[in-house]
């Protein structure tokens, strides 16, 4: 099952790892590897990238950051190939992402002259950016005929467990997810509370929104590191957040319910 119907597919600038992710998933399709195993693997790749930053091996750090994005695409693909959708896997993936993002920024703070509070602000900004992308993307997925609906527009209650997972595990992961993402979801929903009423978003708009996808955010970091621009990563992502208001303003002006 595809995430989107054919007519709703768009050029996702954050999803460059998808082709290789699909290849990896196909190689694992008939093995004992599960999507959660793959999720754990992208977590390992992220930790290796952090170690490389600490050792000032920025080219290697960039490699493992991009590898993390590729593997991140593979777990969902494997779930679709094996027809084993999972809320536990979906929440675990998101929790790993936010933990790794926090560690990336704390590592950048440690290795640069950036202030601690500026770094915290940049982390908050990058999460807010990603939440806007996910908000619009999930709206499109839920309205797309035949699209993947594992993710919900409003995560307000724990979903019913799918086959192969227990309700207790889903409930625990849902609570962890809400602790990690609840505040960002509330802010974005407050800024654009009517977006879910829109029938659809044009492909060009979603491509523009995808500059806030995690894959594209990590790609920016992966480019800046070997260019010895580590000092500029934190201020860049703070300024980069101004596009939030451009995107929301565009949606409200041109794509009304």
């Amino acid at each position: 099952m595809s995430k989107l119907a054919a007519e709703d597919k768009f050029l996702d600038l954050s999803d460059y790892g998808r082709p290789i992710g699909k290849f990896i998933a196909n190689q694992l399709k008939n093995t004992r590897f599960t999507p959660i195993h793959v999720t754990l693997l992208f977590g390992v790749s992220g930790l290796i990238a952090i170690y490389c930053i600490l050792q000032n091996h920025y080219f290697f750090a960039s490699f493992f950051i991009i590898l993390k994005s590729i593997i991140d695409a593979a777990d969902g693909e494997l779930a679709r190939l094996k027809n084993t959708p999972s809320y536990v896997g979906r929440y675990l993936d998101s929790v790993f992402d936010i933990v790794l993002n926090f560690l990336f920024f704390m590592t950048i703070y440690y290795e640069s002259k950036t202030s601690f509070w500026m770094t915290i602000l940049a982390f908050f900004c990058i999460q807010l950016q990603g939440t806007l992308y996910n908000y619009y993307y999930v709206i499109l997925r839920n309205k797309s005929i035949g699209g993947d609906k594992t993710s919900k527009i409003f995560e307000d209650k724990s979903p019913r467990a799918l086959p192969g997972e227990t309700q207790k595990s889903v409930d625990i992961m849902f609570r962890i997810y809400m602790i990690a993402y609840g505040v960002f979801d509330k802010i974005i929903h407050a800024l654009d509370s009517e977006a879910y009423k829109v029938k659809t978003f044009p492909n060009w708009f979603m491509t523009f929104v995808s500059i806030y996808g995690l894959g594209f955010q990590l790609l920016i970091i992966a480019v800046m590191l070997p260019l010895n621009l580590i000092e500029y990563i934190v201020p860049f992502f703070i300024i980069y957040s101004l596009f939030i208001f451009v995107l929301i303003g565009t949606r409200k002006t041109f794509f009304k319910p």
Side-chain angles (χ1 to χ4, degrees):
M1 178 176 63
S2 175
K3 287 187 176 183
L4 294 170
E7 65 271 17
D8 292 320
K9 290 182 179 179
F10 60 94
L11 175 61
D12 190 339
L13 300 177
S14 72
D15 204 26
Y16 52 84
R18 185 68 51 183
I20 303 177
K22 285 183 177 180
F23 174 80
I24 293 172
N26 274 291
Q27 304 310 303
L28 300 176
K29 179 173 61 175
N30 297 318
T31 70
R32 294 184 178 181
F33 274 87
T34 69
I36 289 180
H37 289 144
V38 180
T39 300
L40 295 173
L41 189 59
F42 90 61
V44 171
S45 183
L47 292 175
I48 294 173
I50 289 168
Y51 174 77
C52 290
I53 296 173
L54 291 171
Q55 298 301 313
N56 295 318
H57 298 321
Y58 293 154
F59 282 99
F60 288 113
S62 296
F63 171 80
F64 282 104
I65 287 172
I66 293 173
L67 180 62
K68 182 264 181 192
S69 293
I70 292 171
I71 300 173
D72 197 359
D75 57 1
E77 290 296 332
L78 185 60
R80 282 182 280 278
L81 284 173
K82 287 178 174 280
N83 195 25
T84 55
S86 167
Y87 286 115
V88 170
R90 174 257 189 274
Y91 292 133
L92 183 65
D93 185 298
S94 296
V95 169
F96 268 35
D97 279 336
I98 195 171
V99 169
L100 286 173
N101 283 353
F102 181 76
L103 292 177
F104 279 136
F105 274 87
M106 287 299 99
T107 304
I108 290 167
Y109 157 71
Y110 182 79
E111 288 295 315
S112 67
K113 298 177 182 178
T114 312
S115 77
F116 174 78
W117 291 112
M118 285 281 286
T119 305
I120 293 296
L121 177 60
F123 167 73
F124 185 87
C125 286
I126 199 172
Q127 291 304 134
L128 208 59
Q129 295 163 21
T131 300
L132 180 66
Y133 164 76
N134 288 328
Y135 182 45
Y136 287 156
Y137 190 24
V138 171
I139 289 172
L140 187 63
R141 282 165 61 177
N142 277 264
K143 292 181 181 293
S144 181
I145 298 174
D148 176 22
K149 296 177 174 58
T150 305
S151 297
K152 305 299 181 185
I153 298 173
F154 299 106
E155 300 277 2
D156 53 358
K157 62 180 180 179
S158 181
R160 182 176 297 179
L162 294 168
E165 58 186 3
T166 66
Q167 188 61 51
K168 182 178 180 180
S169 297
V170 173
D171 292 343
I172 291 172
M173 290 307 304
F174 173 76
R175 285 194 289 269
I176 295 173
Y177 171 86
M178 289 305 297
I179 291 171
Y181 286 94
V183 63
F184 302 108
D185 288 344
K186 286 182 173 62
I187 291 172
I188 292 300
H189 293 165
L191 290 173
D192 196 358
S193 59
E194 300 291 306
Y196 75 97
K197 297 180 182 179
V198 177
K199 184 176 180 180
T200 189
F201 301 120
N203 294 348
W204 67 264
F205 176 72
M206 288 305 301
T207 294
F208 189 17
V209 172
S210 72
I211 65 171
Y212 276 166
L214 179 57
F216 197 74
Q217 292 170 325
L218 292 179
L219 181 62
I220 291 172
I221 294 174
V223 169
M224 294 181 76
L225 283 173
L227 293 176
N228 290 316
L229 297 175
I230 190 171
E231 305 284 347
Y232 298 95
I233 292 175
V234 164
F236 172 84
F237 279 103
I238 294 173
I239 297 171
Y240 198 47
S241 292
L242 294 176
F243 282 109
I244 289 176
F245 303 101
V246 174
L247 291 168
I248 292 176
T250 300
R251 201 291 300 163
K252 289 183 175 180
T253 302
F254 297 104
F255 319 123
K256 299 180 180 180

